[in-house]
C-alpha cells in the first residue's frame, strides 16, 4: 500500500486517495487517533464515500466511541444493505454495548450475505456461549474453524474447547485442546479439567 501511495504522489494526483490509503495503513497498525484525523480531512462523497465512512467507523469502534461508530455503520447498512461488512461491524458494536438481540440480527445477516467469512460466526458463537446456548456456540465455533484458513485458529480452538468442556463433552474438548501446538496455558488448563472430568485424576 505504501508503494502504491508513493507512486500516486510521484504522479502528483489522487491526493484524496493517498490520504485514504495512508489512513488505512495507520488504522491497520493500530494508530487509531492518527488514522481518524486523516479520515476527517476527507469528504465522504463520490467514489470514496463508503470507504471513508467504513474506515472512520472502524477507528471510532477501536477507540470505544460506540455511539458515533454505530451511527456510521448504520448509515452504511442503509446505503449498502447487501454488503456484509457493515452488518458484521454493527453486530460487533451492538455486542459491545450489550444489545444482544440486535447483535444477533446483524451478525446473522452478515453470515447470510457472506457465508465464507468466519468472523461473524465466531462472534455469534461467543454470544451463544455467554447465553448458555452451548450446542449453537459449539456449532458456530466449528464452522469458524473450517472457514478461517489458519487466521486466529489458536484462539478459536481455545474457545471451542472451553465450550465443549462446559457442555461436559470432555473427550471432544480434550482432543480440541490437544490441537493447540505448542500448548498454551489455557489449553493446558482445559486439558487438565478434561482429564479430571474423565476420572483420570493423576
Amino acid at each position: 500500500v505504501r508503494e502504491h501511495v508513493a507512486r500516486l504522489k510521484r504522479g502528483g494526483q489522487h491526493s484524496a486517495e493517498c490520504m485514504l490509503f495512508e489512513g488505512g495503513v495507520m488504522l491497520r497498525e493500530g494508530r487509531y487517533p492518527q488514522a481518524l484525523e486523516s479520515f476527517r480531512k476527507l469528504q465522504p462523497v463520490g467514489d470514496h464515500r463508503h470507504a471513508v465512512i467504513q474506515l472512520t467507523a472502524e477507528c471510532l469502534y477501536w477507540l470505544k466511541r460506540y455511539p458515533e461508530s454505530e451511527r456510521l455503520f448504520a448509515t452504511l447498512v442503509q446505503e449498502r444493505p447487501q454488503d456484509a461488512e457493515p452488518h458484521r461491524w454493527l453486530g460487533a458494536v451492538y455486542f459491545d454495548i450489550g444489545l444482544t438481540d440486535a447483535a444477533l440480527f446483524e451478525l446473522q445477516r452478515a453470515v447470510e450475505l457472506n457465508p465464507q467469512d468466519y468472523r461473524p460466526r465466531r462472534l455469534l458463537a461467543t454470544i451463544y456461549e455467554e447465553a448458555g446456548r452451548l450446542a449453537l456456540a459449539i456449532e458456530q465455533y466449528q464452522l469458524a474453524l473450517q472457514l478461517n484458513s489458519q487466521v486466529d485458529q489458536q484462539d478459536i480452538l481455545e474457545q471451542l474447547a472451553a465450550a465443549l468442556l462446559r457442555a461436559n463433552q470432555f473427550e471432544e474438548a480434550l482432543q480440541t485442546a490437544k490441537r493447540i501446538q505448542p500448548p498454551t496455558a489455557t489449553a493446558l488448563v482445559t486439558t487438565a479439567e478434561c482429564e479430571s472430568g474423565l476420572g483420570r485424576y493423576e
Side-chain angles (χ1 to χ4, degrees):
V1 174
R2 290 192 179 94
E3 291 174 1
H4 178 64
V5 170
R7 285 195 297 271
L8 291 174
K9 286 184 174 180
R10 285 196 296 270
Q13 297 178 343
H14 304 291
S15 59
E17 189 174 355
C18 287
M19 291 174 63
L20 184 66
F21 282 128
E22 287 175 326
V25 169
M26 288 186 281
L27 170 61
R28 300 303 176 226
E29 291 175 340
R31 297 159 58 196
Y32 307 124
Q34 298 94 324
L36 186 59
E37 186 61 30
S38 178
F39 297 138
R40 279 180 169 165
K41 297 175 184 177
L42 296 169
Q43 293 296 318
V45 296
D47 294 340
H48 300 309
R49 171 174 171 76
H50 293 128
V52 171
I53 295 175
Q54 173 76 32
L55 296 176
T56 300
E58 288 183 33
C59 281
L60 292 167
Y61 173 84
W62 292 117
L63 290 168
K64 301 187 184 302
R65 294 166 59 175
Y66 298 126
E68 297 166 88
S69 179
E70 176 193 359
R71 185 171 62 252
L72 291 178
F73 284 129
T75 297
L76 288 177
V77 165
Q78 184 177 19
E79 295 184 7
R80 303 182 65 177
Q82 300 304 310
D83 185 350
E85 276 295 278
H87 288 284
R88 180 176 70 84
W89 278 98
L90 191 55
V93 172
Y94 287 145
F95 172 70
D96 284 339
I97 63 177
L99 299 177
T100 304
D101 289 343
L104 286 171
F105 177 84
E106 294 298 339
L107 292 168
Q108 287 164 351
R109 184 66 179 136
V111 168
E112 291 171 7
L113 292 169
N114 185 7
Q116 300 306 308
D117 188 355
Y118 78 94
R119 294 169 297 179
R121 295 183 183 278
R122 181 182 180 184
L123 188 48
L124 279 171
T126 301
I127 294 172
Y128 289 139
E129 185 176 3
E130 289 188 359
R133 302 167 69 180
L134 296 178
L136 287 173
I138 290 166
E139 177 186 19
Q140 291 301 320
Y141 281 135
Q142 290 172 334
L143 287 169
L145 276 174
Q146 293 172 17
L147 294 170
N148 78 345
S149 65
Q150 306 305 314
V151 179
D152 294 334
Q153 191 169 54
Q154 177 175 291
D155 292 341
I156 301 173
L157 283 168
E158 287 183 349
Q159 291 175 301
L160 173 58
L164 289 164
L165 179 61
R166 283 186 62 192
N168 295 325
Q169 298 182 36
F170 301 119
E171 190 61 49
E172 293 85 348
L174 181 62
Q175 296 308 315
T176 301
K178 286 183 175 180
R179 290 172 60 186
I180 302 171
Q181 296 296 330
T184 63
T186 299
L188 290 170
V189 170
T190 300
T191 299
E193 292 182 356
C194 290
E195 296 287 9
S196 176
L198 291 166
R200 301 197 287 256
Y201 303 115
E202 70 283 1

